Amino acid sequence: MKLVRFGPPDTERPGIIDNNGQLRDAQSLVDDWHGATLTDECLAQVAAAAATLPLVTDNPHPRLGAPVGTISKFIVIGLNYAAHAAEAGLSPPTDPIIVLASPTAVCGGNDTICLPPNSHKTDWEIELGVVIGRGGRFIAATEALQHVAGYCIANDVSEREYQIERGTQWGKGKSYDTFKPLGPWLVTRDEIPDPQNLNMQLQRNGKICQQSNTQDMIFPVAELISRISEYMTLCAGDVLVTGTPPGVGYGMKPPQFLCAGDQLQLNIDGLGQQENTVAAHVTHK
Ligand code: ZN
C-alpha cells in the first residue's frame, strides 16, 4: 500500500494510492499519517477497507505533501556508504554516525527546494528513507524490520558551509526549511521485502550524479535501527534517512552545488520518483 498526504501545504489529507494507481481519501479511517496511525494494526485495517474508500475525483493528481504528518524525530545517518566516505575524505565509521535534523525541514517529495539566503554550497544526497511504525529501545537487529512502517525516497539536502565550516555541527547544514523532501509516498514494508537490494539514482538537470544500490550500505537498515535504539528511544512516526552513496556535489572536482533553477530527479526501486525544482530563498513552502 502507498500512503500519501494530499492537498496544499499544512492542510493535507491522508490518502492511499490503490493498486490501480488511483488516489483514495482515507480521512474516514485516519485523521492523518503519523505515529498513532502507522502501526501494523491500523495499516491492516486501512488495507482491508481500501477498496471502499472514496476516489478523489475533483483533482486526481494533487500536490503530495510529505507522507508523514507529524514527525517526532528526524534522524540522519552519516557516511553509510564506504565510497561516499572516501569522496568526503573520511574513514568509514565503525559505529553509525547519528545526527538529529529538525523535522521542520521536511517537505513533499516534489516540492520546491529553497536555498538559504547567501547559500553557496547547498548539495544533494539521495537516501532510502525509513519510517518507524513501532517504537522501542534496545531493538534486536533480527526484529528491527518489524518496527518499520514503510519506506520512501528522501533527499538529505545539506548546506556544506553550514555543515562543515561553521563548527562541524552537521544538524546546522541539514535543517533548513525544504531540505528534507520525503515521498512522493510511503510504501508499506510488505511491498519492500528486502530494503538492501534497491537501485537508487539521482539526476541533476538530466545528468546522472548518484547511482548505487542499498546493498552497498555499511550498516543495513536493521542494524541501524538496532544501534540507534541503544542511544535513544525510537518512536512510531520517527523518520530515519540511511546515508547517501557517492556522487554528491561536494565530492566532485571541482565541487558543484545547487543553483536556483536546477531540476532534480530521484528514483529508488519500488518507491517511485521525486522531481524538484531548486529556487532562491525567497520562496517558502
Ligand atoms: Zn545524508
Side-chain angles (χ1 to χ4, degrees):
M1 192 162 54
K2 296 178 178 66
L3 312 182
V4 296
R5 296 173 61 256
F6 63 97
D10 302 324
T11 60
E12 295 95 340
R13 296 167 69 90
I16 64 161
I17 307 288
D18 69 18
N19 292 337
N20 297 317
Q22 293 180 298
L23 173 62
R24 291 177 183 269
D25 191 328
Q27 201 155 47
S28 61
L29 296 177
V30 294
D31 61 335
D32 200 355
W33 297 124
H34 53 68
T37 55
L38 292 170
T39 62
D40 287 352
E41 297 74 20
C42 187
L43 292 177
Q45 287 174 8
V46 174
T52 68
L53 295 173
L55 289 167
V56 176
T57 53
D58 55 331
N59 179 6
H61 300 289
R63 170 190 173 269
L64 299 179
V68 187
T70 306
I71 295 171
S72 31
K73 284 193 290 298
F74 197 102
I75 302 166
V76 174
I77 300 300
L79 305 180
N80 200 25
Y81 290 74
H84 171 60
E87 74 177 345
L90 298 166
S91 302
T94 55
D95 199 60
I97 294 173
I98 299 171
V99 179
L100 290 173
S102 173
T104 52
V106 171
C107 65
N110 296 315
D111 281 352
T112 298
I113 296 168
C114 302
L115 300 174
N118 305 312
S119 163
H120 302 291
K121 296 185 178 178
T122 297
D123 202 349
W124 55 86
E125 295 191 349
I126 187 173
E127 308 200 5
L128 175 65
V130 178
V131 178
I132 300 296
R134 175 156 50 100
R137 293 188 69 201
F138 300 103
I139 298 167
T142 51
E143 304 287 320
L145 295 185
Q146 305 301 313
H147 288 254
V148 174
Y151 301 92
C152 62
I153 303 175
N155 191 348
D156 180 22
V157 177
S158 301
E159 217 295 348
R160 303 301 187 195
E161 183 187 346
Y162 300 178
Q163 179 188 347
I164 297 166
E165 300 172 33
R166 297 190 183 183
T168 69
Q169 303 298 305
W170 286 18
K172 266 185 204 171
K174 293 176 176 286
S175 295
Y176 195 71
D177 284 3
T178 74
F179 268 21
K180 296 290 166 279
L182 288 186
W185 37 66
L186 182 67
V187 179
T188 51
R189 74 165 190 273
D190 54 297
E191 292 192 16
I192 308 292
D194 182 6
Q196 302 308 145
N197 188 20
L198 304 175
N199 292 305
M200 57 206 304
Q201 184 190 84
L202 180 144
Q203 295 181 43
R204 176 191 182 207
N205 299 327
K207 177 173 171 284
I208 296 171
C209 296
Q210 296 186 275
Q211 185 152 260
S212 187
N213 187 290
T214 55
Q215 66 192 0
D216 290 340
M217 285 184 190
I218 296 171
F219 302 102
V221 173
E223 184 75 18
L224 288 173
I225 290 170
S226 178
R227 298 284 193 98
I228 293 166
S229 77
E230 296 174 7
Y231 295 107
M232 64 188 81
T233 299
L234 279 171
C235 302
D238 285 349
V239 176
L240 164 65
V241 295
T242 54
T244 201
V248 301
Y250 182 65
M252 294 178 172
K253 294 184 175 48
Q256 296 183 21
F257 297 107
L258 291 171
C259 303
D262 279 357
Q263 302 286 329
L264 296 179
Q265 181 181 311
L266 292 74
N267 297 78
I268 299 181
D269 285 350
L271 302 181
Q273 175 172 297
Q274 286 189 2
E275 288 183 75
N276 314 96
T277 300
V278 178
H281 73 95
V282 288
T283 313
H284 280 270
K285 61 179 174 179

